[in-house]
Amino acid sequence: MDTLIPLIAALPIAGFLFTAAVGRRLGKRAHIVPVAAVGLSWAIAMVVVVTALTGGLGEDGHTVKLWDWIPAGAFHVEAALFVDNLTAVLLIVVTTVGLLVHVYSIGYMSHDPGYWRFFAYLNLFMFSMLLLVLGDSWLTVFVAWELVGLSSYLLIGFWYRKNSAALASKKAFIVNRVGDVGFALGIMAIWVNTGTLNIRDSINVLTSETLVAFPIPIGLIALLIFAGAMGKSAQFPLHVWLPDAMEGPTPVSALIHAATMVNAGVYLVARANPIFASAPEAMVVVAGIGIFTALLAASIAMTQTDIKRVLAYSTLSQLGYMFAALGVGAWTAAIFHLMTHGFFKGLLFLGSGSVIHAVHEEQDMRRMGGLAKKIPHTYRTMLIGAIAISGIPPLAGFFSKDEILGEAFKLGFAWVWAIGVVVAVMTAFYMFRLIGLTFWGESRVDKAVEPKIHESPRVMTVPLWLLAIPSVLLGLVLAWPGPPLGPLLGQHGPGLLAGWLEPVYHQGLEILGHHEAEFAIFGIDGVLILISIAVATGGMLAAWRLFGVEIGSLRRPATPERVRALSARAPFLYRASLNKWWFDELNHLLFIVIGGRIAAAAWWFDAKVVDGIVNGIGALTKRSGGGLARVQTGRVQNYAFGIAIGLIVMVGSYLMIGGG
């Protein structure tokens, strides 16, 4: 393990350095080393994962110390990597989806002049995320956190000659820095309170001492950590960067939205679960922001016409579900949904890339339609992804999403459950709206493009099918033998994932006062299951009625006039959704217009008033000194004459005063 664990992160960074140095000379073979590096990293990660999840590393995990990084007296930080069951679960998602994105990119980016540069950036991204997951200290995690931000900046702005891509990369970088300031302050507060930056040691100190003994409240530390998570995982109000990240190549969208960057915030809060358990007020904030983000993003996805933007807002919404689960204390459910979402959202994004590839870079769904028979592999895999994310059983999304809703209800957060049910209806609706507009009905593709439509090459479609398999089966596997299927087949006990993560969450659950049995069971009561299935089915049927359906013998034409009529009934809501509730305009007003004027006024005050006073004092001193300098003539007789005059004045003054 001491050799294998470092190799997981070392191989991608070696691939990056090699490709950055000589990739240009390799031309269309530039992918060989980066893909091989990630492939080997995946294979090694799977060995580590199996060892960890079968108990080979023990309940406390395994630490690999690399070197003393900062030995500065009391401030001592080791460069070390750590693997426990939570790390292992994240490694499954990150390395698997990351590898499939690399393979898919061989076909998708084959004609791009920056081919070698793209694969170099992908390897850098993989190294950054793997280091974040494996880091054993808050400082290591923060360095990786910033490297993930740098990598996303490079990949989102990969087509930097396109102004929208350059602006989107800057927007993502700047918005993330806002959250990162909070995370950095949280790390500083942890050091002040505990005197260590080792993650597990600092958590043990924070949760074992009386809270009044700390100079900085633990609730404030939890909120500062969450601020960093809000930036990376794009939670309200720092959500505005994620949809614009669609300006990067589609494989980048899949990597950012499915496997890596956006999951970092969820992982961070899950890793710090005892800290949040010690600050219940902070957990309510996490749950509130999470479920509000889920609702807000779903409402925007309802009307978007860009296929990738619909999926981007869907990601925001699903991340909101995960944070809602973290906020109510259903930590296993949050990681469960992170895993299933990683696979079906990766499938949907790569599928959208295959669609865009087929229709020659068109992304507007209004200019698609009728593609089901022309690109059948893409259609079938995307249909699987849409069913999974909609929460239709027995696909993966049903188990993980319903686990979140069920736990929220049973833990007394009925408001989270109620909003989550509404979001479930909206999710099923906008996903089958996407499927209907893209694949069903009459073709609306440009007449010049339509004869050229063709299925993507195998190097792109095989990853789609490989992602479709866990999108179907992963929920069943991870929930077994827990509810809902286990008891029906005579099996009882915690689900597989719950058993894996129980040692990770044991300390936090004790602080919350929950019994393990309450959290070791996947599934919800039968009534809640039926409600969840009913609302998801209702959303799907509503989309079918408006946008048509063609599945086997089930066929129904779209009714665009009905869509227009319904939109006209709520014009404000329609415009608000279409315009993303004007958050970009609001940010422009607050930070560019008003903020710019405040900055200009501050600049005027600094230049005219502050600098004026300082420069005025300097000028007065200079002029005074210049006047006095004239007295210094360099002639002794002048100095003697001046002394004589002074003596005469002094004597005269004395005589006059004495005489008086």
Side-chain angles (χ1 to χ4, degrees), residues 578-611:
L578 191 63
N579 290 283
K580 301 166 286 187
W581 293 94
W582 299 285
F583 275 103
D584 286 333
E585 291 79 3
L586 178 61
N587 286 331
H588 179 81
L589 174 65
L590 292 177
F591 300 109
I592 304 300
V593 178
I594 298 176
R597 291 179 180 177
I598 293 173
W603 172 256
W604 177 89
F605 182 82
D606 180 71
K608 300 298 183 181
V609 179
V610 177
D611 287 353

PDB file of all heavy atoms in Angstrom, residues 578-611:
ATOM      1  N   LEU A 578     -36.384  31.177 -18.129  1.00  0.00           N
ATOM      2  CA  LEU A 578     -35.587  31.295 -19.352  1.00  0.00           C
ATOM      3  C   LEU A 578     -34.376  32.192 -19.143  1.00  0.00           C
ATOM      4  O   LEU A 578     -33.299  31.956 -19.702  1.00  0.00           O
ATOM      5  CB  LEU A 578     -36.464  31.847 -20.486  1.00  0.00           C
ATOM      6  CG  LEU A 578     -35.884  31.805 -21.892  1.00  0.00           C
ATOM      7  CD1 LEU A 578     -35.630  30.364 -22.334  1.00  0.00           C
ATOM      8  CD2 LEU A 578     -36.830  32.494 -22.870  1.00  0.00           C
ATOM      9  N   ASN A 579     -34.540  33.225 -18.307  1.00  0.00           N
ATOM     10  CA  ASN A 579     -33.454  34.166 -18.037  1.00  0.00           C
ATOM     11  C   ASN A 579     -32.674  33.825 -16.774  1.00  0.00           C
ATOM     12  O   ASN A 579     -31.943  34.668 -16.250  1.00  0.00           O
ATOM     13  CB  ASN A 579     -34.012  35.586 -17.929  1.00  0.00           C
ATOM     14  CG  ASN A 579     -34.479  36.117 -19.263  1.00  0.00           C
ATOM     15  OD1 ASN A 579     -33.678  36.514 -20.102  1.00  0.00           O
ATOM     16  ND2 ASN A 579     -35.795  36.129 -19.481  1.00  0.00           N
ATOM     17  N   LYS A 580     -32.839  32.578 -16.287  1.00  0.00           N
ATOM     18  CA  LYS A 580     -32.080  32.072 -15.131  1.00  0.00           C
ATOM     19  C   LYS A 580     -32.294  32.930 -13.896  1.00  0.00           C
ATOM     20  O   LYS A 580     -31.388  33.138 -13.099  1.00  0.00           O
ATOM     21  CB  LYS A 580     -30.580  31.990 -15.484  1.00  0.00           C
ATOM     22  CG  LYS A 580     -30.293  31.067 -16.673  1.00  0.00           C
ATOM     23  CD  LYS A 580     -28.895  31.268 -17.211  1.00  0.00           C
ATOM     24  CE  LYS A 580     -28.809  32.564 -17.984  1.00  0.00           C
ATOM     25  NZ  LYS A 580     -27.494  32.726 -18.672  1.00  0.00           N
ATOM     26  N   TRP A 581     -33.544  33.436 -13.769  1.00  0.00           N
ATOM     27  CA  TRP A 581     -33.924  34.283 -12.645  1.00  0.00           C
ATOM     28  C   TRP A 581     -33.024  35.510 -12.536  1.00  0.00           C
ATOM     29  O   TRP A 581     -32.858  36.079 -11.461  1.00  0.00           O
ATOM     30  CB  TRP A 581     -33.947  33.492 -11.330  1.00  0.00           C
ATOM     31  CG  TRP A 581     -35.033  32.466 -11.300  1.00  0.00           C
ATOM     32  CD1 TRP A 581     -34.931  31.152 -11.648  1.00  0.00           C
ATOM     33  CD2 TRP A 581     -36.408  32.668 -10.923  1.00  0.00           C
ATOM     34  NE1 TRP A 581     -36.141  30.513 -11.514  1.00  0.00           N
ATOM     35  CE2 TRP A 581     -37.067  31.414 -11.068  1.00  0.00           C
ATOM     36  CE3 TRP A 581     -37.136  33.771 -10.476  1.00  0.00           C
ATOM     37  CZ2 TRP A 581     -38.419  31.240 -10.795  1.00  0.00           C
ATOM     38  CZ3 TRP A 581     -38.490  33.592 -10.197  1.00  0.00           C
ATOM     39  CH2 TRP A 581     -39.116  32.351 -10.352  1.00  0.00           C
ATOM     40  N   TRP A 582     -32.441  35.907 -13.636  1.00  0.00           N
ATOM     41  CA  TRP A 582     -31.669  37.154 -13.758  1.00  0.00           C
ATOM     42  C   TRP A 582     -30.503  37.251 -12.771  1.00  0.00           C
ATOM     43  O   TRP A 582     -30.093  38.346 -12.393  1.00  0.00           O
ATOM     44  CB  TRP A 582     -32.589  38.368 -13.601  1.00  0.00           C
ATOM     45  CG  TRP A 582     -33.659  38.412 -14.642  1.00  0.00           C
ATOM     46  CD1 TRP A 582     -33.540  38.745 -15.956  1.00  0.00           C
ATOM     47  CD2 TRP A 582     -35.044  38.094 -14.455  1.00  0.00           C
ATOM     48  NE1 TRP A 582     -34.746  38.663 -16.617  1.00  0.00           N
ATOM     49  CE2 TRP A 582     -35.703  38.266 -15.711  1.00  0.00           C
ATOM     50  CE3 TRP A 582     -35.813  37.694 -13.359  1.00  0.00           C
ATOM     51  CZ2 TRP A 582     -37.056  38.047 -15.897  1.00  0.00           C
ATOM     52  CZ3 TRP A 582     -37.165  37.461 -13.545  1.00  0.00           C
ATOM     53  CH2 TRP A 582     -37.775  37.644 -14.798  1.00  0.00           C
ATOM     54  N   PHE A 583     -29.941  36.110 -12.377  1.00  0.00           N
ATOM     55  CA  PHE A 583     -28.813  36.160 -11.443  1.00  0.00           C
ATOM     56  C   PHE A 583     -27.574  36.777 -12.084  1.00  0.00           C
ATOM     57  O   PHE A 583     -26.826  37.508 -11.424  1.00  0.00           O
ATOM     58  CB  PHE A 583     -28.491  34.760 -10.910  1.00  0.00           C
ATOM     59  CG  PHE A 583     -29.340  34.375  -9.731  1.00  0.00           C
ATOM     60  CD1 PHE A 583     -30.404  33.497  -9.878  1.00  0.00           C
ATOM     61  CD2 PHE A 583     -29.088  34.901  -8.475  1.00  0.00           C
ATOM     62  CE1 PHE A 583     -31.193  33.147  -8.796  1.00  0.00           C
ATOM     63  CE2 PHE A 583     -29.874  34.560  -7.382  1.00  0.00           C
ATOM     64  CZ  PHE A 583     -30.928  33.685  -7.541  1.00  0.00           C
ATOM     65  N   ASP A 584     -27.340  36.484 -13.352  1.00  0.00           N
ATOM     66  CA  ASP A 584     -26.188  37.093 -14.020  1.00  0.00           C
ATOM     67  C   ASP A 584     -26.353  38.606 -14.102  1.00  0.00           C
ATOM     68  O   ASP A 584     -25.398  39.359 -13.892  1.00  0.00           O
ATOM     69  CB  ASP A 584     -26.008  36.503 -15.423  1.00  0.00           C
ATOM     70  CG  ASP A 584     -25.453  35.082 -15.376  1.00  0.00           C
ATOM     71  OD1 ASP A 584     -24.758  34.754 -14.391  1.00  0.00           O
ATOM     72  OD2 ASP A 584     -25.715  34.306 -16.309  1.00  0.00           O
ATOM     73  N   GLU A 585     -27.567  39.036 -14.415  1.00  0.00           N
ATOM     74  CA  GLU A 585     -27.822  40.475 -14.487  1.00  0.00           C
ATOM     75  C   GLU A 585     -27.695  41.123 -13.105  1.00  0.00           C
ATOM     76  O   GLU A 585     -27.164  42.235 -12.972  1.00  0.00           O
ATOM     77  CB  GLU A 585     -29.216  40.732 -15.059  1.00  0.00           C
ATOM     78  CG  GLU A 585     -29.375  40.390 -16.534  1.00  0.00           C
ATOM     79  CD  GLU A 585     -29.548  38.907 -16.811  1.00  0.00           C
ATOM     80  OE1 GLU A 585     -29.600  38.122 -15.840  1.00  0.00           O
ATOM     81  OE2 GLU A 585     -29.618  38.517 -17.983  1.00  0.00           O
ATOM     82  N   LEU A 586     -28.166  40.405 -12.073  1.00  0.00           N
ATOM     83  CA  LEU A 586     -28.059  40.933 -10.715  1.00  0.00           C
ATOM     84  C   LEU A 586     -26.595  41.062 -10.293  1.00  0.00           C
ATOM     85  O   LEU A 586     -26.182  42.075  -9.715  1.00  0.00           O
ATOM     86  CB  LEU A 586     -28.808  40.020  -9.744  1.00  0.00           C
ATOM     87  CG  LEU A 586     -28.754  40.414  -8.260  1.00  0.00           C
ATOM     88  CD1 LEU A 586     -29.377  41.786  -8.055  1.00  0.00           C
ATOM     89  CD2 LEU A 586     -29.460  39.363  -7.402  1.00  0.00           C
ATOM     90  N   ASN A 587     -25.807  40.034 -10.592  1.00  0.00           N
ATOM     91  CA  ASN A 587     -24.380  40.097 -10.271  1.00  0.00           C
ATOM     92  C   ASN A 587     -23.688  41.215 -11.038  1.00  0.00           C
ATOM     93  O   ASN A 587     -22.800  41.892 -10.501  1.00  0.00           O
ATOM     94  CB  ASN A 587     -23.710  38.761 -10.578  1.00  0.00           C
ATOM     95  CG  ASN A 587     -24.061  37.691  -9.557  1.00  0.00           C
ATOM     96  OD1 ASN A 587     -24.334  37.994  -8.406  1.00  0.00           O
ATOM     97  ND2 ASN A 587     -24.058  36.443  -9.974  1.00  0.00           N
ATOM     98  N   HIS A 588     -24.087  41.412 -12.297  1.00  0.00           N
ATOM     99  CA  HIS A 588     -23.508  42.500 -13.086  1.00  0.00           C
ATOM    100  C   HIS A 588     -23.833  43.856 -12.449  1.00  0.00           C
ATOM    101  O   HIS A 588     -22.963  44.731 -12.352  1.00  0.00           O
ATOM    102  CB  HIS A 588     -24.044  42.443 -14.515  1.00  0.00           C
ATOM    103  CG  HIS A 588     -23.520  43.539 -15.398  1.00  0.00           C
ATOM    104  ND1 HIS A 588     -22.285  43.475 -15.999  1.00  0.00           N
ATOM    105  CD2 HIS A 588     -24.058  44.739 -15.764  1.00  0.00           C
ATOM    106  CE1 HIS A 588     -22.077  44.589 -16.699  1.00  0.00           C
ATOM    107  NE2 HIS A 588     -23.144  45.360 -16.576  1.00  0.00           N
ATOM    108  N   LEU A 589     -25.100  43.990 -12.011  1.00  0.00           N
ATOM    109  CA  LEU A 589     -25.504  45.246 -11.381  1.00  0.00           C
ATOM    110  C   LEU A 589     -24.739  45.482 -10.081  1.00  0.00           C
ATOM    111  O   LEU A 589     -24.208  46.580  -9.845  1.00  0.00           O
ATOM    112  CB  LEU A 589     -27.014  45.225 -11.110  1.00  0.00           C
ATOM    113  CG  LEU A 589     -27.580  46.418 -10.320  1.00  0.00           C
ATOM    114  CD1 LEU A 589     -27.422  47.709 -11.109  1.00  0.00           C
ATOM    115  CD2 LEU A 589     -29.050  46.167  -9.978  1.00  0.00           C
ATOM    116  N   LEU A 590     -24.654  44.449  -9.240  1.00  0.00           N
ATOM    117  CA  LEU A 590     -24.049  44.612  -7.921  1.00  0.00           C
ATOM    118  C   LEU A 590     -22.536  44.797  -7.988  1.00  0.00           C
ATOM    119  O   LEU A 590     -21.968  45.675  -7.321  1.00  0.00           O
ATOM    120  CB  LEU A 590     -24.374  43.405  -7.035  1.00  0.00           C
ATOM    121  CG  LEU A 590     -25.832  43.240  -6.605  1.00  0.00           C
ATOM    122  CD1 LEU A 590     -26.015  41.963  -5.799  1.00  0.00           C
ATOM    123  CD2 LEU A 590     -26.280  44.442  -5.774  1.00  0.00           C
ATOM    124  N   PHE A 591     -21.876  43.958  -8.798  1.00  0.00           N
ATOM    125  CA  PHE A 591     -20.416  43.915  -8.744  1.00  0.00           C
ATOM    126  C   PHE A 591     -19.730  44.692  -9.868  1.00  0.00           C
ATOM    127  O   PHE A 591     -18.587  45.111  -9.701  1.00  0.00           O
ATOM    128  CB  PHE A 591     -19.941  42.461  -8.757  1.00  0.00           C
ATOM    129  CG  PHE A 591     -20.453  41.660  -7.602  1.00  0.00           C
ATOM    130  CD1 PHE A 591     -21.419  40.680  -7.784  1.00  0.00           C
ATOM    131  CD2 PHE A 591     -20.004  41.906  -6.320  1.00  0.00           C
ATOM    132  CE1 PHE A 591     -21.907  39.950  -6.715  1.00  0.00           C
ATOM    133  CE2 PHE A 591     -20.485  41.185  -5.244  1.00  0.00           C
ATOM    134  CZ  PHE A 591     -21.439  40.208  -5.439  1.00  0.00           C
ATOM    135  N   ILE A 592     -20.415  44.886 -10.996  1.00  0.00           N
ATOM    136  CA  ILE A 592     -19.792  45.627 -12.092  1.00  0.00           C
ATOM    137  C   ILE A 592     -20.251  47.084 -12.083  1.00  0.00           C
ATOM    138  O   ILE A 592     -19.420  48.002 -12.067  1.00  0.00           O
ATOM    139  CB  ILE A 592     -20.123  44.982 -13.455  1.00  0.00           C
ATOM    140  CG1 ILE A 592     -19.693  43.510 -13.461  1.00  0.00           C
ATOM    141  CG2 ILE A 592     -19.443  45.749 -14.577  1.00  0.00           C
ATOM    142  CD1 ILE A 592     -18.210  43.297 -13.229  1.00  0.00           C
ATOM    143  N   VAL A 593     -21.576  47.286 -12.062  1.00  0.00           N
ATOM    144  CA  VAL A 593     -22.095  48.661 -12.129  1.00  0.00           C
ATOM    145  C   VAL A 593     -21.902  49.367 -10.780  1.00  0.00           C
ATOM    146  O   VAL A 593     -21.128  50.319 -10.668  1.00  0.00           O
ATOM    147  CB  VAL A 593     -23.578  48.657 -12.541  1.00  0.00           C
ATOM    148  CG1 VAL A 593     -24.117  50.081 -12.564  1.00  0.00           C
ATOM    149  CG2 VAL A 593     -23.738  48.016 -13.921  1.00  0.00           C
ATOM    150  N   ILE A 594     -22.613  48.866  -9.744  1.00  0.00           N
ATOM    151  CA  ILE A 594     -22.510  49.512  -8.431  1.00  0.00           C
ATOM    152  C   ILE A 594     -21.112  49.344  -7.850  1.00  0.00           C
ATOM    153  O   ILE A 594     -20.490  50.306  -7.369  1.00  0.00           O
ATOM    154  CB  ILE A 594     -23.577  48.950  -7.473  1.00  0.00           C
ATOM    155  CG1 ILE A 594     -24.985  49.237  -8.016  1.00  0.00           C
ATOM    156  CG2 ILE A 594     -23.404  49.520  -6.072  1.00  0.00           C
ATOM    157  CD1 ILE A 594     -26.099  48.641  -7.190  1.00  0.00           C
ATOM    158  N   GLY A 595     -20.610  48.124  -7.898  1.00  0.00           N
ATOM    159  CA  GLY A 595     -19.267  47.883  -7.379  1.00  0.00           C
ATOM    160  C   GLY A 595     -18.215  48.683  -8.119  1.00  0.00           C
ATOM    161  O   GLY A 595     -17.262  49.192  -7.518  1.00  0.00           O
ATOM    162  N   GLY A 596     -18.395  48.817  -9.439  1.00  0.00           N
ATOM    163  CA  GLY A 596     -17.440  49.605 -10.221  1.00  0.00           C
ATOM    164  C   GLY A 596     -17.464  51.070  -9.839  1.00  0.00           C
ATOM    165  O   GLY A 596     -16.412  51.726  -9.757  1.00  0.00           O
ATOM    166  N   ARG A 597     -18.663  51.588  -9.581  1.00  0.00           N
ATOM    167  CA  ARG A 597     -18.764  52.998  -9.178  1.00  0.00           C
ATOM    168  C   ARG A 597     -18.170  53.214  -7.790  1.00  0.00           C
ATOM    169  O   ARG A 597     -17.512  54.235  -7.542  1.00  0.00           O
ATOM    170  CB  ARG A 597     -20.220  53.440  -9.215  1.00  0.00           C
ATOM    171  CG  ARG A 597     -20.781  53.511 -10.640  1.00  0.00           C
ATOM    172  CD  ARG A 597     -22.240  53.918 -10.658  1.00  0.00           C
ATOM    173  NE  ARG A 597     -22.743  53.973 -12.038  1.00  0.00           N
ATOM    174  CZ  ARG A 597     -24.000  54.245 -12.362  1.00  0.00           C
ATOM    175  NH1 ARG A 597     -24.890  54.483 -11.394  1.00  0.00           N
ATOM    176  NH2 ARG A 597     -24.372  54.268 -13.625  1.00  0.00           N
ATOM    177  N   ILE A 598     -18.420  52.283  -6.893  1.00  0.00           N
ATOM    178  CA  ILE A 598     -17.820  52.392  -5.556  1.00  0.00           C
ATOM    179  C   ILE A 598     -16.296  52.335  -5.659  1.00  0.00           C
ATOM    180  O   ILE A 598     -15.575  53.104  -5.011  1.00  0.00           O
ATOM    181  CB  ILE A 598     -18.347  51.280  -4.638  1.00  0.00           C
ATOM    182  CG1 ILE A 598     -19.838  51.488  -4.366  1.00  0.00           C
ATOM    183  CG2 ILE A 598     -17.565  51.238  -3.328  1.00  0.00           C
ATOM    184  CD1 ILE A 598     -20.478  50.355  -3.599  1.00  0.00           C
ATOM    185  N   ALA A 599     -15.816  51.431  -6.507  1.00  0.00           N
ATOM    186  CA  ALA A 599     -14.370  51.326  -6.693  1.00  0.00           C
ATOM    187  C   ALA A 599     -13.807  52.601  -7.307  1.00  0.00           C
ATOM    188  O   ALA A 599     -12.729  53.072  -6.926  1.00  0.00           O
ATOM    189  CB  ALA A 599     -14.045  50.121  -7.573  1.00  0.00           C
ATOM    190  N   ALA A 600     -14.552  53.167  -8.289  1.00  0.00           N
ATOM    191  CA  ALA A 600     -14.089  54.414  -8.907  1.00  0.00           C
ATOM    192  C   ALA A 600     -14.066  55.554  -7.886  1.00  0.00           C
ATOM    193  O   ALA A 600     -13.126  56.363  -7.866  1.00  0.00           O
ATOM    194  CB  ALA A 600     -14.997  54.774 -10.081  1.00  0.00           C
ATOM    195  N   ALA A 601     -15.094  55.612  -7.021  1.00  0.00           N
ATOM    196  CA  ALA A 601     -15.120  56.642  -5.982  1.00  0.00           C
ATOM    197  C   ALA A 601     -13.977  56.441  -4.992  1.00  0.00           C
ATOM    198  O   ALA A 601     -13.329  57.405  -4.565  1.00  0.00           O
ATOM    199  CB  ALA A 601     -16.463  56.614  -5.257  1.00  0.00           C
ATOM    200  N   ALA A 602     -13.736  55.176  -4.645  1.00  0.00           N
ATOM    201  CA  ALA A 602     -12.627  54.897  -3.727  1.00  0.00           C
ATOM    202  C   ALA A 602     -11.292  55.261  -4.367  1.00  0.00           C
ATOM    203  O   ALA A 602     -10.386  55.782  -3.697  1.00  0.00           O
ATOM    204  CB  ALA A 602     -12.645  53.417  -3.333  1.00  0.00           C
ATOM    205  N   TRP A 603     -11.187  55.011  -5.673  1.00  0.00           N
ATOM    206  CA  TRP A 603      -9.950  55.373  -6.384  1.00  0.00           C
ATOM    207  C   TRP A 603      -9.771  56.892  -6.402  1.00  0.00           C
ATOM    208  O   TRP A 603      -8.662  57.393  -6.182  1.00  0.00           O
ATOM    209  CB  TRP A 603      -9.989  54.816  -7.802  1.00  0.00           C
ATOM    210  CG  TRP A 603      -8.856  55.304  -8.662  1.00  0.00           C
ATOM    211  CD1 TRP A 603      -8.890  56.248  -9.633  1.00  0.00           C
ATOM    212  CD2 TRP A 603      -7.501  54.863  -8.589  1.00  0.00           C
ATOM    213  NE1 TRP A 603      -7.662  56.437 -10.188  1.00  0.00           N
ATOM    214  CE2 TRP A 603      -6.774  55.599  -9.563  1.00  0.00           C
ATOM    215  CE3 TRP A 603      -6.824  53.930  -7.799  1.00  0.00           C
ATOM    216  CZ2 TRP A 603      -5.410  55.419  -9.771  1.00  0.00           C
ATOM    217  CZ3 TRP A 603      -5.470  53.744  -8.009  1.00  0.00           C
ATOM    218  CH2 TRP A 603      -4.780  54.485  -8.978  1.00  0.00           C
ATOM    219  N   TRP A 604     -10.878  57.619  -6.648  1.00  0.00           N
ATOM    220  CA  TRP A 604     -10.788  59.088  -6.636  1.00  0.00           C
ATOM    221  C   TRP A 604     -10.370  59.580  -5.258  1.00  0.00           C
ATOM    222  O   TRP A 604      -9.501  60.446  -5.129  1.00  0.00           O
ATOM    223  CB  TRP A 604     -12.140  59.689  -7.014  1.00  0.00           C
ATOM    224  CG  TRP A 604     -12.142  61.195  -6.940  1.00  0.00           C
ATOM    225  CD1 TRP A 604     -11.821  62.077  -7.915  1.00  0.00           C
ATOM    226  CD2 TRP A 604     -12.477  61.983  -5.778  1.00  0.00           C
ATOM    227  NE1 TRP A 604     -11.924  63.369  -7.459  1.00  0.00           N
ATOM    228  CE2 TRP A 604     -12.320  63.345  -6.144  1.00  0.00           C
ATOM    229  CE3 TRP A 604     -12.888  61.680  -4.486  1.00  0.00           C
ATOM    230  CZ2 TRP A 604     -12.564  64.389  -5.266  1.00  0.00           C
ATOM    231  CZ3 TRP A 604     -13.122  62.708  -3.598  1.00  0.00           C
ATOM    232  CH2 TRP A 604     -12.964  64.054  -3.990  1.00  0.00           C
ATOM    233  N   PHE A 605     -10.988  59.025  -4.203  1.00  0.00           N
ATOM    234  CA  PHE A 605     -10.649  59.440  -2.839  1.00  0.00           C
ATOM    235  C   PHE A 605      -9.175  59.149  -2.540  1.00  0.00           C
ATOM    236  O   PHE A 605      -8.472  59.967  -1.940  1.00  0.00           O
ATOM    237  CB  PHE A 605     -11.543  58.703  -1.840  1.00  0.00           C
ATOM    238  CG  PHE A 605     -11.320  59.095  -0.412  1.00  0.00           C
ATOM    239  CD1 PHE A 605     -11.907  60.240   0.112  1.00  0.00           C
ATOM    240  CD2 PHE A 605     -10.506  58.326   0.419  1.00  0.00           C
ATOM    241  CE1 PHE A 605     -11.692  60.614   1.437  1.00  0.00           C
ATOM    242  CE2 PHE A 605     -10.293  58.692   1.738  1.00  0.00           C
ATOM    243  CZ  PHE A 605     -10.888  59.845   2.246  1.00  0.00           C
ATOM    244  N   ASP A 606      -8.735  57.978  -2.980  1.00  0.00           N
ATOM    245  CA  ASP A 606      -7.337  57.615  -2.731  1.00  0.00           C
ATOM    246  C   ASP A 606      -6.384  58.524  -3.496  1.00  0.00           C
ATOM    247  O   ASP A 606      -5.386  59.001  -2.945  1.00  0.00           O
ATOM    248  CB  ASP A 606      -7.103  56.159  -3.133  1.00  0.00           C
ATOM    249  CG  ASP A 606      -5.673  55.715  -2.894  1.00  0.00           C
ATOM    250  OD1 ASP A 606      -5.288  55.559  -1.726  1.00  0.00           O
ATOM    251  OD2 ASP A 606      -4.936  55.536  -3.883  1.00  0.00           O
ATOM    252  N   ALA A 607      -6.714  58.769  -4.786  1.00  0.00           N
ATOM    253  CA  ALA A 607      -5.806  59.554  -5.628  1.00  0.00           C
ATOM    254  C   ALA A 607      -5.834  61.036  -5.275  1.00  0.00           C
ATOM    255  O   ALA A 607      -4.785  61.694  -5.247  1.00  0.00           O
ATOM    256  CB  ALA A 607      -6.168  59.347  -7.097  1.00  0.00           C
ATOM    257  N   LYS A 608      -7.057  61.556  -5.005  1.00  0.00           N
ATOM    258  CA  LYS A 608      -7.169  63.002  -4.796  1.00  0.00           C
ATOM    259  C   LYS A 608      -6.998  63.410  -3.334  1.00  0.00           C
ATOM    260  O   LYS A 608      -6.335  64.403  -3.047  1.00  0.00           O
ATOM    261  CB  LYS A 608      -8.533  63.485  -5.305  1.00  0.00           C
ATOM    262  CG  LYS A 608      -8.769  63.223  -6.787  1.00  0.00           C
ATOM    263  CD  LYS A 608      -7.757  63.961  -7.668  1.00  0.00           C
ATOM    264  CE  LYS A 608      -8.065  63.750  -9.146  1.00  0.00           C
ATOM    265  NZ  LYS A 608      -7.073  64.438 -10.011  1.00  0.00           N
ATOM    266  N   VAL A 609      -7.616  62.655  -2.433  1.00  0.00           N
ATOM    267  CA  VAL A 609      -7.601  63.051  -1.026  1.00  0.00           C
ATOM    268  C   VAL A 609      -6.381  62.477  -0.300  1.00  0.00           C
ATOM    269  O   VAL A 609      -5.530  63.213   0.209  1.00  0.00           O
ATOM    270  CB  VAL A 609      -8.905  62.626  -0.324  1.00  0.00           C
ATOM    271  CG1 VAL A 609      -8.870  63.010   1.149  1.00  0.00           C
ATOM    272  CG2 VAL A 609     -10.104  63.263  -1.020  1.00  0.00           C
ATOM    273  N   VAL A 610      -6.291  61.138  -0.263  1.00  0.00           N
ATOM    274  CA  VAL A 610      -5.185  60.510   0.459  1.00  0.00           C
ATOM    275  C   VAL A 610      -3.844  60.900  -0.160  1.00  0.00           C
ATOM    276  O   VAL A 610      -2.942  61.413   0.511  1.00  0.00           O
ATOM    277  CB  VAL A 610      -5.354  58.986   0.491  1.00  0.00           C
ATOM    278  CG1 VAL A 610      -4.156  58.334   1.180  1.00  0.00           C
ATOM    279  CG2 VAL A 610      -6.648  58.604   1.199  1.00  0.00           C
ATOM    280  N   ASP A 611      -3.715  60.658  -1.477  1.00  0.00           N
ATOM    281  CA  ASP A 611      -2.458  61.019  -2.136  1.00  0.00           C
ATOM    282  C   ASP A 611      -2.242  62.528  -2.107  1.00  0.00           C
ATOM    283  O   ASP A 611      -1.095  63.002  -2.020  1.00  0.00           O
ATOM    284  CB  ASP A 611      -2.454  60.525  -3.584  1.00  0.00           C
ATOM    285  CG  ASP A 611      -2.295  59.016  -3.663  1.00  0.00           C
ATOM    286  OD1 ASP A 611      -2.069  58.401  -2.611  1.00  0.00           O
ATOM    287  OD2 ASP A 611      -2.394  58.459  -4.774  1.00  0.00           O
TER     288      ASP A 611
END
